[in-house]
Amino acid sequence: MTYSGDGSGHGGAAATPDEIDELARRARDGDREAMEQLLGAVRPRVLNICRGVLPYSGDAEDACQEAMLNVATRIASWGGRGRFSTWLHIVAVNSARTTYRRLKNLATPTDFEDGSHDRPDPRTTSVIAGTRLDLLEAMDTIEKDHPQYVEPLLLRDVYGLPYEEIAALVDAPLGTIKAQIHHGRKLARPLLRGEQ
């Protein structure tokens, strides 16, 4: 399933946040035409989010496709309390991280019978040469013992969402979100490239 669009919700002009929210409500309620318009309108934003995590365009395209499918199939999980675009950020970031993990697993050396290792071909496993990989590795490491810190930290420090918007999105008190981001940063610093 491939979604394309020019980023417009209505015949060429970019859709406003209110128009996107309205399309999302209609799509969530089963309006297929609204779903197609919504997917066309948000695809450029989803792709940009994925490119922010996965520097190789082919990998970002894969993550974008996964995110678009998740939007189409899981839109009912958007509660409608906040902006649809905020929920969309979470879906896109999670799709990019899932794509990264899948590519990382594909790039793991394989033992042959003679004990030698097969090195992944960087032309087919492009994510191994990316510039944001230290951040993704740090988030994966933190998530093992402190999963509550990862989502707020990514939303704040990678995507620059305001604390209040993050608190509303994850349905947590503002003070809790600020504390989670603070502790997440403390855990991430020594894991980032150049500080180990």
Side-chain angles (χ1 to χ4, degrees):
M1 183 182 281
T2 301
Y3 300 106
S4 60
D6 61 2
S8 65
H10 312 288
T16 67
D18 288 339
E19 290 170 334
I20 294 290
D21 286 353
E22 180 58 29
L23 282 173
R25 282 186 195 91
R26 289 177 31 216
R28 186 186 61 195
D29 293 340
D31 183 331
R32 288 184 180 203
E33 184 178 332
M35 178 62 78
E36 288 302 317
Q37 289 176 348
L38 177 67
L39 294 173
V42 301
R43 187 182 188 286
R45 180 176 184 153
V46 170
L47 183 57
N48 283 337
I49 293 167
C50 293
R51 284 180 178 151
V53 176
L54 297 165
Y56 180 69
S57 63
D59 298 341
E61 286 282 348
D62 288 348
C64 179
Q65 286 298 106
E66 180 180 323
M68 298 302 287
L69 182 61
N70 287 336
V71 168
T73 59
R74 299 180 183 166
I75 195 165
S77 68
W78 172 56
R81 291 185 312 243
R83 285 277 185 205
F84 178 78
S85 59
T86 305
W87 179 83
L88 184 68
H89 253 94
I90 297 288
V91 172
V93 168
N94 287 340
S95 294
R97 293 182 68 218
T98 299
T99 298
Y100 166 73
R101 286 186 193 114
R102 184 176 64 249
L103 292 169
K104 181 181 169 190
N105 289 338
L106 290 173
T108 302
T110 308
D111 287 332
F112 287 105
E113 288 182 25
D114 64 1
S116 65
H117 293 285
D118 181 24
R119 308 258 324 143
D121 182 345
R123 292 169 298 171
T124 58
T125 315
S126 59
V127 74
I128 63 173
T131 57
R132 304 296 298 273
L133 300 188
D134 57 339
L135 176 64
L136 291 173
E137 288 290 339
M139 294 302 105
D140 281 348
T141 300
I142 292 168
E143 191 169 43
K144 290 174 187 167
D145 294 323
H146 307 284
Q148 72 276 18
Y149 300 153
V150 174
E151 189 174 70
L153 186 59
L154 283 172
L155 290 173
R156 178 66 187 156
D157 288 357
V158 175
Y159 294 102
L161 292 182
Y163 291 108
E164 295 80 8
E165 196 170 340
I166 296 168
L169 182 65
V170 301
D171 196 26
L174 181 59
T176 300
I177 292 301
K178 288 183 176 182
Q180 287 175 338
I181 292 168
H182 174 74
H183 291 299
R185 286 173 178 158
K186 285 174 71 173
L187 292 170
R189 276 188 204 106
L191 298 172
L192 295 176
R193 188 174 295 148
E195 295 189 31
Q196 294 179 340

